[in-house]
């Protein structure tokens, strides 16, 4: 019973997806609400503030748990490690508000689609639908499934038959109205946040609330100047934050605004065509595609072909051909029917239709699949509005540190209460003094100081043409220890150059035709395949399309003439005609007509076309794609026996190899051809030969990879290209150093009588001639030679093998990833999954790609760097305007400098609070404190100026072979703060006690007569009035004393010296003297302090509220401060910052990194059987510890796993984590 109640009370939203949420049902109670309102009034709004910071407290206080079916409020909690809460009201939609008859009979459907959730969501006879709106997505309550489900999309359970027959003729106007009410408008609306709302949100930040309390207290005690300075600084900081947020809001609003203003034509059932605004579209509407057209929704093509520009999604402005969904009569879900290739039928929101090709049966039509924020563009915008948080250790540690400082303040508060009450000071005077000590340990300048360091780094990156939309990730760049690179367009040049063709005849490869010779490609099936097997289009007189297709087509010297096929003859319009150009070789064929296309997809690794040669009655099929894939579809007798060797011969030299194939279709009518399935067309082909293309390395690639290698930052290649080509590029770029072993990991799916297997093959290079490499498999040794053990081996695998290992050998995956360098033929989903798996090993992962198919991985990585300026890159935290990988070391250098600066500023401000805390504790002992101008000198002239300039030191130009510390709570940093606090405490105690032993000392505030008598013994003659007291004190005479005069210069010089000590330059930042402004301010502050200490001007003494002392005492104060500096500097520089010493201590006491990848490296280094070579392992083999991963479901897509990251990043400042 209890279990059922719990099940009814909570459920999962978006189960298994990246944005998975737990949802809990609550019902508001009027009595609880009234009590909360009363408590909020009595606490002057403090309770409301707590509810604002902790929304779940508000729900728990106002509501009682209940089943989700009865709930009027739901509490949502993320299932990641952050467990963030959201509160949402349950809304009700009433179909009775529509001006149309809706049946109240429970047995009758509201909409015709039997799969639609709308039918299951309507409560009859009330005609009510319960819903919630979460992160721009609407969820309705499913009365049958008893859970909230997403609306605004067609259900995936629809088959191809359903889509064609249920929606092919359009929706009725009544059904459109129902769907509009339930699904909401088809609009991606980004509200421009009102300035007042942004301001309130910033001001209600917990740190600013504490700061407001602190400053109010200080102002009430007359400490006006510094309080005003902090207020001004805070106001500037808040205004800049609000301005930045507002600008982002406006930019995003402008980006999506045009999406909501498109006019479309839809088919309404029994009424014909109707024009309407795109915001009125609903899932199931049939959209007419007129020609050039910006898609306002996701839609599946059901009739005709079209060409779209998908740069918004992929980052590449390459025309992509879309084909209609086949009209099959099976009941299989339509996406499963097309497997991963379903995208070839889908037109995505935000992409642009640039050409349509009607089928001859009417205009090009598409069924609306998803609307609003459910679309591809909506998902992109949501990823910007609600970024995935990452847990960065710095901010969580900083929060803990702040809590410690606050606890220190609480101790000081009770100490002050005790002292003042013991001396009988009235409570109205005691309370403010105690509160001052409470607020002293947490510096109010902290958020501004940490933010300014990020601003400096952002400014320096901007000069290097690197732009950042997530500034808090700059610090994280300093922790990167693994960078994944895409190959094409990132490591290598974007374009490909034709090298030659290798035709086949009589089951043998023929002589190479070199394009460098300048001779035209001779006519033949290979030439016909190159001229016709592509997705190029003629747009405004220019041939456009994929760069590889363009180069291949140019190599034939043929030309494209667009559309000229007679629809009456062929039954199709808009087909492309190819004709020989003036430079083409002599051809018996006047023209080739491309009639039908099966587009290329990264999962299928091939494309094919059906074409007709002029003057012939039959048709031809031409295919091109990855050689190993094309060979599978060819008759074995047509594939040369030495095919693997020939292919490897070129791929090991870094060439890009494409295979071509052909067959004749014995059919006379195109309509018969149109009905053929892809599987029928792509079978029993004749192998034609290989097209060899060069893909040169960018000139910046090798030096950058060398620099990263010297800095001990791992580099990994994730590419969609051939495995052998990727290995060669890795070797040429020295990503795999000379002399290193490459082990190819090949995994196979389980077959009928055989379990899944993984084979390890050791690849060796042997020079066989000048400039020529040949690859062969070493079958002699079973493991890497002992002399080459350690990190000298690199694993290489394909996406297919990665998928099998993920599914069947999951425990083996970390072992491979620790030394995996090459991942080829990887799909976009696999790229994201791989980045996630690296993160699970506690790597800080950077991903650099050109935007094409890398968007998911760029978002998943801790630091994503896009080399594309297309719209798709907006989801990437960093974008480089210079399209090469030089941006990676720049970013890491700046990240390291920013991280070290953040640590330095944090340590300094911690010490600033502690030093002042120590001096005030001592002064409070005798009911004294510093004067306003004494504080002012420390707070504005030193601390404020130092904090605003300390972070402006530039990054060191050379990357060190190790990273800066990533944790505040690390032994060196904690010891640094602790020891410096001890040194300060010793110096202050010594000065405080020793001054009392001097013959000229007297307790001025107690014995003013004694003080006046002793004036005659001073070395200078300054007339002091009997009633000289502080200018803003509670207790008369509580500032003027020898203790204050002695402690102030020690405290002030201590603040200057710790600023110098914590501003370490090399190896992550340039030397301190290169930061001219900071150095000048430090020297000026030191000079001014010494000048005040030794000056004999009465006005200075009167203004600063000092008592003149003998010169020898002042010299002693300076000597004490200097000795403290020398000791602190030596300990910090020679001990705490001594990396070799700490490594020795770690080794001596057996401390090792807790990072998963370090643990695996250590285990594998001790494992004599690792790495395996030239052997095969099978799943379920107990001795190897492998097992079948039962959680794996789909063979096409790797499921999302919950990240178990040990210390990585958050987009929030730590002070928002209260």
């Amino acid at each position: 019973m209890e279990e059922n109640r719990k099940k009814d009370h909570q459920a999962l939203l978006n189960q298994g997806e990246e944005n998975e949420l737990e949802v809990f049902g609550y019902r508001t109670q009027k009595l609880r609400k009234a009590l909360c309102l009363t408590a909020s009034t009595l606490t002057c709004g403090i309770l409301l503030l707590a509810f604002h910071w902790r929304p779940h407290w508000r729900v728990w206080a106002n509501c009682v748990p209940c089943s989700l079916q009865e709930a009027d409020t739901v509490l949502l909690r993320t299932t990641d490690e952050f467990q963030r809460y959201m509160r949402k009201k349950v809304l009700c939609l009433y179909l009775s508000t529509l001006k149309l008859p809706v049946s109240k009979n429970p047995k009758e459907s509201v909409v015709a689609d039997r799969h639609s959730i709308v039918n299951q969501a309507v409560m009859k006879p009330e005609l009510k639908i319960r819903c919630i709106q979460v992160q721009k997505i609407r969820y309705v309550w499913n009365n049958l499934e008893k859970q909230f489900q997403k609306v605004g999309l067609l259900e995936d359970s629809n088959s191809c038959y359903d889509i064609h027959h249920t929606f092919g003729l359009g929706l009725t106007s009544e059904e459109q109205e129902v769907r509009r009410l339930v699904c909401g408008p088809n609009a991606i609306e980004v509200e421009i946040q009102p300035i007042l709302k942004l301001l309130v949100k910033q001001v209600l930040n917990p740190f600013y609330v504490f700061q407001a309390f602190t400053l109010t207290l200080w102002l009430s005690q007359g400490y006006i100047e510094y309080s005003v300075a902090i207020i001004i600084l805070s106001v500037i900081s808040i205004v800049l934050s609000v301005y930045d947020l507002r600008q982002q809001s406006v930019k995003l609003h402008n980006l999506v605004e045009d999406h909501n203003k498109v006019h479309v034509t839809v088919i309404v059932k029994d009424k014909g065509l109707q024009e309407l605004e795109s915001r009125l579209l609903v899932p199931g509407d049939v959209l007419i595609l007129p020609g050039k057209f910006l898609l306002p929704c996701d839609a599946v093509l059901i009739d005709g072909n079209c060409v779209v520009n998908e740069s918004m999604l992929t980052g590449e402005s390459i025309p992509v051909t879309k084909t209609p969904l086949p009209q099959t009569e099976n009941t299989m879900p339509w996406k499963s029917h097309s497997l991963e290739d379903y995208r070839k039928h889908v037109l995505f929101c935000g992409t642009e239709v640039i050409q349509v090709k009607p089928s001859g049966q009417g205009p090009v039509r598409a069924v609306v699949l998803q609307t609003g924020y459910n679309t591809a563009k909506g998902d992109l915008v949501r990823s910007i509005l609600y970024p995935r948080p990452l847990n960065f250790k710095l901010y969580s540690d900083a929060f803990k540190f702040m809590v410690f400082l606050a606890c220190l303040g609480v101790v000081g508060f009770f100490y002050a209460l005790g002292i003042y009450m013991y001396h009988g000071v009235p409570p109205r005077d005691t309370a403010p003094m105690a509160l001052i000590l409470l607020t002293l340990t947490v510096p109010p300048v902290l958020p501004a100081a940490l933010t300014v360091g990020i601003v400096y780094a952002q400014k320096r990156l901007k000069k290097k043409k690197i732009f950042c939309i997530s500034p808090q990730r700059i610090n994280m760049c300093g922790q990167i220890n693994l960078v994944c690179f895409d190959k094409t367009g990132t490591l290598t040049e974007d374009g490909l150059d034709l090298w030659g063709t290798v035709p086949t005849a009589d089951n043998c490869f023929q002589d190479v035709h070199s394009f460098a010779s300048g001779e035209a490609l001779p006519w033949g099936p290979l030439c016909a395949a190159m001229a016709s097997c592509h997705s190029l289009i003629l747009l405004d007189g220019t041939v456009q399309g994929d760069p590889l297709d363009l180069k291949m087509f140019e190599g034939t010297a043929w030309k494209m003439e667009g559309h000229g096929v007679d629809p009456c003859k062929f039954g199709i319009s808009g087909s492309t005609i190819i004709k020989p150009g003036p430079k083409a070789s002599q051809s018996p064929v006047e023209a080739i007509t491309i009639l039908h296309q099966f587009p290329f997809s990264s999962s299928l690794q091939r494309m094919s076309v059906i074409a007709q040669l002029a003057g012939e009655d039959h048709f031809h099929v031409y295919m091109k794609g990855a050689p190993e894939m094309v060979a599978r579809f060819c008759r074995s007798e047509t594939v040369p026996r030495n095919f693997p060797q020939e292919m490897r011969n070129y791929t090991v030299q870094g060439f890009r190899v494409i295979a071509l194939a052909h067959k004749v279709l014995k059919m006379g009518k195109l309509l018969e051809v149109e009905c053929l399935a892809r599987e029928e067309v792509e079978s029993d082909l004749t192998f034609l030969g290989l097209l060899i293309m060069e893909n040169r390395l960018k000139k910046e690639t090798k030096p950058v990879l060398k620099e990263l290698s010297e800095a001990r930052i791992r580099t990994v290649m994730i590419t969609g290209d051939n495995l052998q080509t990727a290995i060669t590029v890795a070797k040429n770029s020295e990503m795999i150093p000379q002399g290193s072993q490459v082990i190819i990991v090949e995994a196979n799916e389980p077959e009928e009588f055989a379990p899944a297997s993984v084979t390890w093959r050791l690849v060796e290079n042997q020079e066989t001639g000048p400039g020529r490499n040949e690859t062969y498999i070493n079958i002699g040794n079973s493991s890497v030679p002992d002399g080459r053990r350690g990190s000298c081996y690199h694993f290489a695998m394909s996406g297919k093998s990665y998928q099998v290992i993920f599914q069947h050998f999951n425990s083996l995956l970390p072992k491979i990833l620790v030394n995996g360098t090459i991942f080829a033929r990887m799909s976009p989903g696999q790229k994201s999954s791989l980045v996630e798996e690296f993160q699970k090993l506690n790597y800080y992962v950077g991903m650099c790609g050109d935007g094409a198919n890398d968007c998911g991985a760029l978002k998943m990585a801790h630091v994503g760097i896009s080399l594309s300026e297309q719209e798709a890159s907006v989801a990437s935290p960093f974008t480089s305007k210079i399209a090469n990988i030089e941006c990676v070391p720049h970013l890491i250098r700046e990240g390291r400098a920013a991280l070290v600066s953040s640590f330095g500023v944090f340590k300094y401000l911690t010490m600033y609070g502690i030093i002042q805390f120590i001096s005030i504790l001592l002064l409070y002992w005798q009911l004294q404190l510093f004067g306003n101008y004494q504080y002012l000198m420390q707070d504005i002239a030193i601390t404020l100026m130092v904090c605003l300039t300390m972070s402006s030191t530039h990054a060191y130009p050379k990357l060190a072979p190790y990273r800066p510390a990533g944790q505040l709570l690390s032994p060196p940093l904690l010891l640094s703060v602790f020891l410096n606090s001890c040194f300060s405490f010793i110096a202050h105690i010594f000065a405080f006690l020793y001054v009392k032993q001097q013959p000229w000392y007297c307790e001025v505030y107690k014995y003013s007569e004694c003080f006046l008598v002793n004036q005659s013994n001073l070395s200078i003659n300054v007339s002091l009035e009997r009633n000289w007291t502080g200018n803003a004190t509670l207790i008369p005479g509580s500032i003027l004393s020898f203790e204050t005069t002695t402690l102030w210069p020690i405290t002030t010089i201590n603040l200057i010296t710790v600023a110098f000590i914590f501003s370490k330059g090399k190896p992550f930042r340039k030397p301190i003297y290169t930061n001219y402004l900071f150095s000048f301010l430090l020297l000026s502050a030191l000079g001014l302090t010494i000048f005040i200490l030794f000056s004999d001007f009465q006005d200075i003494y009167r203004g600063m509220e000092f008592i003149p002392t003998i010169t020898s005492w002042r010299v002693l104060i300076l000597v004490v401060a200097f000795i403290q500096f020398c000791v602190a500097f030596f300990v910090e520089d020679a001990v705490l910052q001594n990396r070799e010493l700490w490594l020795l201590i770690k080794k001596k006491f057996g401390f090792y990194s807790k990072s998963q990848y370090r643990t695996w490296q250590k285990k594998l280094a001790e494992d004599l059987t690792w790495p395996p070579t030239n052997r095969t392992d099978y799943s379920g083999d107990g001795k190897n510890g492998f097992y079948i991963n039962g959680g794996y479901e789909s063979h096409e897509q790797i499921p999302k796993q919950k990240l178990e990251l040990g210390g990585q990043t958050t987009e929030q400042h730590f002070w928002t984590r209260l």
Side-chain angles (χ1 to χ4, degrees), residues 957-1165:
K958 184 177 170 59
L959 280 174
Y962 53 91
R963 299 175 295 160
Q967 299 179 42
L968 274 173
L969 303 181
S970 59
L973 189 134
L974 292 175
L975 268 176
S976 175
V977 171
F978 175 73
L979 291 176
N980 274 289
S981 301
C982 290
F983 300 149
S984 295
F985 185 71
I986 292 165
H988 281 79
I989 282 284
F990 168 78
F992 184 75
L993 296 177
Y994 195 53
V995 72
K996 294 175 184 292
Q997 312 300 319
Q998 302 309 305
W1000 39 261
Y1001 171 80
C1002 74
E1003 294 178 334
V1004 175
Y1005 64 97
K1006 282 187 181 179
Y1007 308 107
S1008 53
E1009 294 295 331
C1010 168
F1011 166 66
L1012 291 173
V1013 170
N1014 281 335
Q1015 280 299 300
S1016 59
N1017 298 328
L1018 296 179
S1019 59
I1020 58 167
N1021 182 21
V1022 178
S1023 62
L1024 295 166
E1025 299 174 14
R1026 289 170 64 95
N1027 62 351
W1028 190 23
T1029 62
N1031 62 357
T1033 59
L1034 289 166
I1035 302 146
S1038 64
I1039 293 171
L1040 194 65
S1041 72
F1042 284 108
E1043 287 87 351
T1044 312
T1045 305
T1046 300
L1047 289 181
W1048 183 85
I1050 289 177
T1051 301
T1052 309
I1053 292 171
N1054 198 352
L1055 289 172
I1056 295 165
T1057 55
V1058 292
F1060 176 80
I1061 290 166
F1062 293 156
S1063 297
K1064 187 174 170 62
K1066 200 175 171 184
F1068 304 114
R1069 297 192 298 173
K1070 285 185 177 179
I1072 187 173
Y1073 59 78
T1074 60
N1075 187 344
Y1076 304 121
L1077 185 57
F1078 177 67
S1079 304
F1080 171 75
L1081 286 171
L1082 273 192
L1083 289 171
S1084 301
L1086 184 62
L1088 184 59
T1089 308
I1090 294 172
F1091 171 75
I1092 291 170
L1093 178 63
F1094 285 97
S1095 70
D1096 289 337
F1097 299 109
Q1098 182 179 342
D1099 289 343
I1100 289 176
Y1101 273 79
R1102 186 181 295 276
M1104 293 296 291
E1105 300 172 81
F1106 288 152
I1107 300 174
T1109 57
I1110 58 174
T1111 306
S1112 59
W1113 180 249
R1114 301 183 215 179
V1115 171
L1116 183 64
I1117 290 171
L1118 195 60
V1119 168
V1120 168
F1122 180 70
I1123 291 170
Q1124 186 198 336
F1125 163 69
C1126 291
V1127 172
F1129 183 77
F1130 173 78
V1131 169
E1132 184 75 23
D1133 205 55
V1135 180
L1136 299 176
Q1137 296 291 332
N1138 189 332
R1139 180 175 154 80
E1140 288 73 22
L1141 177 66
W1142 282 103
L1143 290 174
L1144 194 68
I1145 291 168
K1146 282 182 178 180
K1147 193 175 180 182
K1148 183 77 175 171
F1149 292 97
F1151 291 120
Y1152 295 102
S1153 169
K1154 291 179 183 175
S1155 297
Q1156 287 287 318
Y1157 72 92
R1158 290 280 192 204
T1159 307
W1160 279 110
Q1161 283 172 345
K1162 191 169 179 292
K1163 280 183 188 174
L1164 296 176

Side-chain angles (χ1 to χ4, degrees), residues 493-716:
E493 294 289 353
D494 227 341
L496 293 159
D497 292 316
L498 291 173
W499 185 83
T501 58
V502 189
T504 57
D506 303 324
N507 198 22
C508 293
F509 283 109
Q510 304 299 302
D511 292 338
V512 174
H513 170 82
S514 172
F515 286 100
S517 65
E519 291 180 24
L521 184 69
W523 169 253
L526 186 67
C527 179
M530 287 173 61
S532 59
C533 192
H534 51 69
S535 57
L536 300 175
I537 62 163
L538 194 67
L539 196 65
D540 302 326
T542 313
V543 179
Q544 293 186 17
D546 185 278
L548 186 149
D549 283 355
L550 268 171
K551 281 286 180 186
M552 180 183 75
F553 183 66
E554 286 168 7
T556 64
W558 283 48
K559 61 182 182 180
M560 188 179 287
E561 291 208 349
H563 318 304
V565 178
D566 181 5
C568 300
K569 182 181 176 185
F570 292 108
I572 187 170
S573 64
S575 296
T576 305
I577 295 176
I578 310 294
K579 289 185 176 179
K583 294 183 179 178
S585 58
Q586 194 67 35
S587 163
V589 177
E590 289 181 17
I592 301 173
T593 306
I594 303 169
L595 300 170
H596 191 74
Q597 208 179 87
F598 297 101
F600 175 83
S601 85
S602 53
S603 60
L604 298 176
Q605 299 176 7
R606 66 184 187 275
M607 78 162 289
S608 54
V609 295
I610 299 173
Q612 187 173 33
L613 275 56
E616 293 183 356
D617 292 331
H618 54 270
F619 303 98
H620 295 263
V621 174
Y622 295 106
M623 178 195 278
K624 80 164 192 300
E628 59 269 35
M629 182 61 73
V630 171
R632 280 191 215 168
F633 294 92
C634 295
R635 301 196 311 279
S636 56
E637 65 270 18
T638 67
V639 181
R641 288 181 183 176
N642 64 334
F643 166 73
Q645 293 86 347
E646 187 76 10
M647 192 181 84
R648 200 178 298 121
N649 181 33
Y650 291 106
T651 55
V652 296
Q653 297 176 66
F655 288 118
R656 177 84 178 265
V657 182
I658 306 291
L660 297 116
H662 159 259
K663 83 168 178 182
V664 176
L665 282 177
K666 302 290 185 183
M667 291 181 180
K669 293 182 180 178
L670 182 61
L671 287 176
E672 294 176 36
V673 173
E674 284 285 302
C675 297
L676 285 175
R678 186 167 188 163
E679 292 73 23
E680 292 178 65
V681 173
E682 295 177 340
S683 61
D684 298 325
L685 286 98
T686 301
F687 192 83
L688 293 178
L690 302 173
L691 171 65
I692 316 297
M693 306 181 93
E694 281 185 289
N695 195 194
R696 297 189 182 95
L697 281 176
K698 289 181 178 177
K699 66 178 188 298
E700 301 85 7
T701 297
K702 206 168 175 178
V704 167
L705 293 180
K706 186 182 178 185
E707 184 179 6
L708 293 175
S709 174
E710 287 171 353
R712 294 186 184 173
I713 295 168
R714 263 191 76 186
T715 50
V716 169

Side-chain angles (χ1 to χ4, degrees), residues 763-832:
V763 178
E764 290 186 358
N765 280 346
Q766 188 178 42
E767 294 294 326
T768 57
R772 172 139 174 159
N773 288 330
E774 224 173 72
T775 303
Y776 68 93
I777 306 303
N778 172 23
I779 7 183
N781 302 326
S782 62
S783 65
V784 175
D786 290 342
R788 293 187 177 275
R789 292 188 60 77
S791 61
C792 64
Y793 61 90
H794 299 259
F795 290 121
M797 68 167 75
S798 66
K800 172 181 163 287
S801 296
Y802 172 77
Q803 203 161 295
V804 173
I805 288 167
F806 190 98
Q807 178 183 358
H808 298 285
F809 301 90
N810 203 270
S811 61
L812 186 62
L813 193 58
K815 297 181 181 182
I816 295 172
L817 295 187
V818 163
N819 281 86
T821 303
I822 308 295
F823 297 87
R825 294 286 188 229
M826 297 288 279
S827 69
Q830 288 168 341
K831 288 184 180 184
S832 301

Side-chain angles (χ1 to χ4, degrees), residues 49-50 52-53 197-213 234 237-238 241-242 245 399 402 444 446-448 451 472 1211-1218:
L49 206 55
H52 172 75
W53 294 332
K197 187 177 176 182
L198 289 170
L199 201 59
V200 169
K201 200 173 177 181
Q202 286 290 315
V203 170
L204 293 183
N205 183 302
F207 195 91
Y208 284 124
V209 171
F210 179 76
Q211 196 180 65
F213 167 71
S234 298
S237 176
I238 289 169
S241 295
V242 167
L245 288 168
F399 175 68
M402 296 286 288
L446 187 60
T451 303
Q472 289 309 309
E1211 292 298 330
Q1212 302 168 311
H1213 291 284
F1214 63 87
W1215 55 82
T1216 64
R1217 290 176 52 106
L1218 282 174

